[in-house]
Amino acid sequence: AGLGDGINPCAFATILFFVSYLGMVGRKKNEILIVGLSFASAIFATYFLVGLGFLQFIKTMTNIELMAKIIFGGTSVLCLIFGFLSIYDYFKAKEGKTGDMMLQLPTFLKKRIHKTIREKSRMKSMVAGALIAGFMVSILEFACTGQVYLPTITFMVGVEGLKSSAILYLVIYNIFFIVPLLLVFAVVYFGVSSQAISRIMESNVGTVKLILACVF
């Protein structure tokens, strides 16, 4: 689930914009690596803390029998809806109509994310700028990535064997969530252009949507 969420088109598009912008403003390879590690660290920490808060909330609520039925039943319905919408998006991607996909960030959030990246990338302290950008982008992107994250946490609470080690599983989820991000920064560091990565992603959007449908 974490890896599927990490290659989610809305999350991946943000990574590519960030890398492209760093190159456009003249950041060197070593600077891109430092900024990338800082950005990824901020995203990991933010998502982990958000997940931890939601985990504690769900654990508390599911101690009440009625609330447990509402939460688990509602999450099941949402997963089915997201699963079917992911299949719908798969066919739209195959038709080359990615703009018509249902599960994607609204335009105003995309613009806000891009504005945040542009503003924080200009800060004198690269690390501070990347950390702030990572935190703000994580919150703004949650409308998309939370579609996988929150049902996964609810699932963990619902399985007795996972509940006792839920924090460990949160760590694992978030490690795999930032793996694609780290890979992008690594390949850019070794000379692959963001345009080449973008072309690969665009040609595999349909496959990613099928993977997400299976996760749901």
Side-chain angles (χ1 to χ4, degrees):
L3 191 58
D5 204 8
I7 58 173
N8 195 335
C10 62
F12 213 83
T14 300
I15 301 168
L16 290 175
F17 179 83
F18 190 46
V19 171
S20 299
Y21 189 75
L22 290 175
M24 190 179 76
V25 296
R27 293 293 190 189
K28 298 175 183 177
K29 289 202 304 182
N30 289 340
E31 290 177 329
I32 289 176
L33 192 61
I34 293 168
V35 168
L37 289 172
S38 302
F39 186 73
S41 299
I43 287 179
F44 176 88
T46 305
Y47 273 100
F48 177 75
L49 291 173
V50 168
L52 198 59
F54 191 75
L55 177 67
Q56 296 306 319
F57 174 76
I58 292 294
K59 279 185 174 180
T60 302
M61 289 295 100
T62 52
N63 287 331
I64 305 168
E65 188 176 351
L66 177 61
M67 287 302 298
K69 288 180 180 178
I70 292 171
I71 288 170
F72 291 128
T75 303
S76 299
V77 172
L78 277 177
C79 284
L80 287 172
I81 291 171
F82 289 150
F84 282 118
L85 289 177
S86 293
I87 293 171
Y88 172 86
D89 287 350
Y90 163 77
F91 287 109
K92 285 297 177 183
K94 285 297 181 183
E95 293 171 6
K97 300 177 180 177
T98 54
D100 294 336
M101 294 192 303
M102 298 293 289
L103 296 179
Q104 59 175 318
L105 281 172
T107 303
F108 78 93
L109 277 182
K110 290 178 183 177
K111 289 181 178 178
R112 188 68 188 86
I113 288 171
H114 292 172
K115 183 181 178 184
T116 299
I117 289 172
R118 285 194 295 268
E119 289 175 350
K120 303 312 171 189
S121 296
R122 294 193 193 106
M123 288 180 64
K124 289 182 180 179
S125 172
M126 292 185 301
V127 173
L131 289 172
I132 295 170
F135 169 74
M136 294 179 68
V137 166
S138 297
I139 301 301
L140 292 169
E141 257 189 1
F142 201 73
C144 182
T145 55
Q147 295 164 6
V148 179
Y149 196 24
L150 299 187
T152 303
I153 294 171
T154 306
F155 168 76
M156 290 193 297
V157 174
V159 179
E160 196 61 41
L162 299 183
K163 191 188 296 186
S164 59
S165 304
I167 293 177
L168 172 62
Y169 284 108
L170 274 183
V171 171
I172 293 171
Y173 182 101
N174 284 287
I175 287 173
F176 277 89
F177 178 70
I178 65 168
V179 162
L181 176 61
L182 294 173
L183 284 175
V184 168
F185 283 112
V187 296
V188 169
Y189 176 79
F190 287 109
V192 179
S193 69
S194 58
Q195 290 82 1
I197 303 169
S198 180
R199 285 194 295 271
I200 293 170
M201 184 60 194
E202 286 173 8
S203 63
N204 288 282
V205 169
T207 303
V208 171
K209 286 294 181 177
L210 276 185
I211 291 170
L212 289 173
C214 290
V215 171
F216 286 126

